[in-house]
Amino acid sequence: MSVATIARAKPSPFAFDPRHTALVVIDMQRDFIEPGGFGEALGNDVSLLAGIVPDVARLLSFARDQRWHVVHTRESHAADLSDCPPAKRLRGEPNARIGDAGPMGRILVRGEPGNAIVEALAPIEGELVIDKPGKGAFYATRLGEELALRGVTHLVFAGVTTEVCVQTTMREANDRGYVCLLVEDATASYIPAFKAATVEMIRSQGGIVGWTATLADLPGGRA
Ligand code: TIU
């Protein structure tokens, strides 16, 4: 069994088998990262998220080199919004509603320009792309079945936003028995204090939700 270890992971070394490990890149889509999308419509400064694109690209390249499985998610809804509960659609300001027209097409609607993953992180052939109607990537998707088919037991997380879709997915994964690690410098929030708190709470209490590490901590420091 080929086992790798991230010795400097917190709260303790993180051992994993690359063949049973997937990188899960959460919602690195234009809607959240570029001006004119859902994130900005909610009143956020999107530059905080754009700043991690090169770091996520380094992590993605590392995962591909190491032959980890790779999963990309997109928060998105069907064009008829049949998978968007009113409680979600009506949240926020009237001009920020999911399904409304925006500069990058209809907000958070599948297939619209704004729903695309940013070019620098575009999925390549063989990588799994999961469209998810919720904040968590396991809710109402085939993610669990796809990971089971591939024999994945360990998940390494990156993406946005740390305390919303990343944390929700990580908690869903933890409850489903996956061993989880968050790469601190490959995740971001519109609210830096929330990112910091999330990183701390994940690894608190002996790793109650999982582990954290930085890109420089990865095996070989190659990322
Ligand atoms: N608003 C916010 O921080 N996040 C989201 O709505 N979705 C994700 O985190 N992807």
Side-chain angles (χ1 to χ4, degrees), residues 117-220:
I117 292 170
V118 296
E119 211 170 302
L121 306 175
I124 61 173
E125 203 181 326
E127 295 179 350
L128 188 59
V129 180
I130 297 286
D131 285 303
K132 61 184 186 59
K135 302 305 183 192
F138 287 87
Y139 168 70
T141 73
R142 64 184 198 289
L143 178 58
E145 289 79 359
E146 296 284 357
L147 293 176
L149 277 173
R150 290 162 176 77
V152 170
T153 54
H154 288 56
L155 299 176
V156 176
F157 287 94
V160 297
T161 60
T162 318
E163 79 281 13
V164 182
C165 292
V166 176
Q167 179 171 217
T168 302
T169 302
M170 208 167 160
R171 288 176 181 275
E172 285 183 326
N174 185 50
D175 282 349
R176 284 166 171 77
Y178 295 95
V179 186
C180 299
L181 178 137
L182 174 63
V183 180
E184 289 176 52
D185 33 5
T187 183
S189 170
Y190 299 119
I191 305 157
F194 287 177
K195 171 181 167 174
T198 301
V199 168
E200 284 298 332
M201 71 177 76
I202 280 168
R203 64 189 179 207
S204 69
Q205 303 181 62
I208 192 76
V209 180
W211 281 255
T212 66
T214 65
L215 283 167
D217 293 337
L218 294 180

Side-chain angles (χ1 to χ4, degrees), residues 32-46:
F32 295 113
I33 292 164
E34 295 186 11
F38 186 55
E40 192 176 69
L42 292 172
N44 296 302
D45 172 4
V46 295

Side-chain angles (χ1 to χ4, degrees), residues 47-109:
S47 65
L48 286 166
L49 269 53
I52 64 157
V53 170
D55 303 300
V56 180
R58 281 167 59 214
L59 177 59
L60 196 47
S61 162
F62 177 82
R64 287 169 178 160
D65 283 353
Q66 299 289 310
R67 301 191 181 284
W68 297 0
H69 301 272
V70 175
V71 181
H72 305 258
T73 69
R74 294 181 292 221
E75 186 173 346
S76 66
H77 293 278
D80 64 4
L81 303 184
S82 54
D83 57 0
C84 182
K88 183 175 184 189
R89 174 162 156 77
L90 297 176
R91 209 87 50 83
E93 295 301 314
N95 67 346
R97 281 186 316 189
I98 293 163
D100 289 350
M104 293 193 288
R106 294 180 64 205
I107 290 171
L108 285 199
V109 170

